[in-house]
Amino acid sequence: MGKTVQEVLLSSAAMVALCEEHAADFLAMGWPEAAAGAQVAAAGDGSRYAIERGVAVMPVRGLLTPNSVVLERYFGWATYRGISEACAELAGDDAVSAAVLEFDTPGGYTLGVEEAAAAIKALAAVKPVYALAAPLAASAGYWLASQAREVVMTPGAAVGSIGVALTTSAYLAPGASSGMQIFEFTSSHARAKWPDPSTEEGKAEIRRGLDESEARFHAAVSEGRGIALEGLAAQLSVTDDPADGGAVFDGAEAVARGLADKVETRADFYARVIGEHTPAPRRTGGARGAMARAAVARARAQL
């Protein structure tokens, strides 16, 4: 029997920004190499976005990895490199007036997410970028969505799960070859390169790395959503204790906490965005049109 996605992706102590509650179905899927063998490389058409009347639509779905070609081609799941490359293409495409990132993801690895978030931010600096949670932009997925100009949720959608986690293991006795214990961590503080999760020192070191990544996560959300960094943890908490963050929220709650801008049906969202950004018919033509385009190019070059 072939391995599952969970057995392949989470077999080592990888740091993740993942909402486990919503990731279960993705993780239980069979690993593509085992399921499709040599045909995996040919699956999918390789396209990362489509353009409709000047609006580019990029799906961001599945478990997010730095650059898993297998998962991108076989399942159509987004990768951080794919998102970064697509954003660079869209930024330089004059036929694109705006971009929509449509999210259906519980998150994924923290490795690579910052580059993809920076690419979305760079695209948003030159063109309007919208994030549509349809139905989920959780953890690393929300890290990316928070960089858009506007975050919209379809009815019943969820966003949040802002935090970093890690699962690792250790033998119960030194030198033992059996009796493995599983340890799960969420962000706090810590120690060195190969921390022993069965000791308090090791646990502290693991939390140090988690907290560093969470701090960058919080900083990205703070800047992207315009929420004061010093108050963000309290704003995300489900109690009066700022440590009780990491939850996912439905539409009304997410809007109230500043994580989203509005709740809108998918059809209404696209009708509004495409209506706002469809280029007006051009009447310039011939030599005069060429001169106008040349003038615009010169003006852009001087910016």
Side-chain angles (χ1 to χ4, degrees):
M1 186 173 178
K3 291 184 177 181
T4 65
V5 170
Q6 179 170 6
E7 289 174 318
V8 175
L9 292 185
L10 303 183
S11 59
S12 60
M15 197 176 298
V16 297
L18 184 68
C19 178
E20 287 191 348
E21 174 188 356
H22 295 288
D25 289 343
F26 293 108
L27 291 169
M29 295 175 73
W31 184 255
E33 285 183 333
Q39 297 181 359
V40 170
D45 61 7
S47 58
R48 289 166 172 159
Y49 56 84
I51 301 174
E52 175 69 24
R53 287 187 285 171
V55 176
V57 179
M58 186 195 315
V60 181
R61 63 167 64 99
L63 298 175
L64 306 176
T65 60
N67 188 33
S68 176
V69 177
V70 171
L71 295 179
E72 184 176 30
R73 291 180 177 174
Y74 188 77
F75 289 142
W77 292 356
T79 67
Y80 297 135
R81 178 178 293 181
I83 293 169
S84 299
E85 291 176 350
C87 285
E89 292 172 9
L90 295 176
D93 190 340
D94 290 338
V96 174
S97 55
V100 173
L101 278 67
E102 185 170 320
F103 288 85
D104 180 10
T105 173
Y109 282 111
T110 59
L111 182 66
V113 67
E114 291 176 75
E115 180 182 5
I120 295 170
K121 181 179 177 181
L123 176 59
V126 296
K127 298 178 182 182
V129 175
Y130 300 83
L132 177 65
L136 180 68
S139 213
Y142 187 76
W143 192 326
L144 302 178
S146 69
Q147 303 307 296
R149 182 176 86 170
E150 182 177 276
V151 177
V152 177
M153 302 170 65
T154 57
V159 300
S161 190
I162 297 173
V164 184
L166 180 147
T167 299
T168 187
S169 60
Y171 291 109
L172 296 180
S177 59
S178 62
M180 187 78 76
Q181 183 173 351
I182 303 298
F183 297 86
E184 294 184 341
F185 294 87
T186 56
S187 315
S188 229
H189 316 314
R191 220 170 193 87
K193 184 161 184 177
W194 297 109
D196 181 351
S198 66
T199 67
E200 290 305 314
E201 293 80 3
K203 292 176 183 178
E205 172 56 21
I206 291 170
R207 282 215 171 84
R208 181 189 64 79
L210 291 169
D211 281 350
E212 286 182 353
S213 185
E214 182 187 77
R216 295 191 296 271
F217 195 164
H218 279 202
V221 172
S222 171
E223 183 175 1
R225 294 300 300 163
I227 302 172
L229 183 59
E230 59 271 18
L232 180 61
Q235 197 160 324
L236 298 175
S237 177
V238 294
T239 70
D240 292 334
D241 187 343
D244 289 330
V248 294
F249 304 103
D250 64 13
E253 185 70 11
V255 171
R257 292 174 183 263
L259 299 181
D261 296 290
K262 62 177 67 178
V263 177
E264 198 170 22
T265 67
R266 191 170 181 271
D268 287 345
F269 168 80
Y270 279 111
R272 174 173 63 87
V273 172
I274 291 176
E276 288 178 2
H277 298 287
T278 297
R282 295 183 178 181
R283 295 186 178 276
T284 56
R288 183 172 295 180
M291 290 174 62
R293 289 191 291 274
V296 171
R298 287 195 300 270
R300 284 179 176 169
Q302 293 172 359
L303 293 178

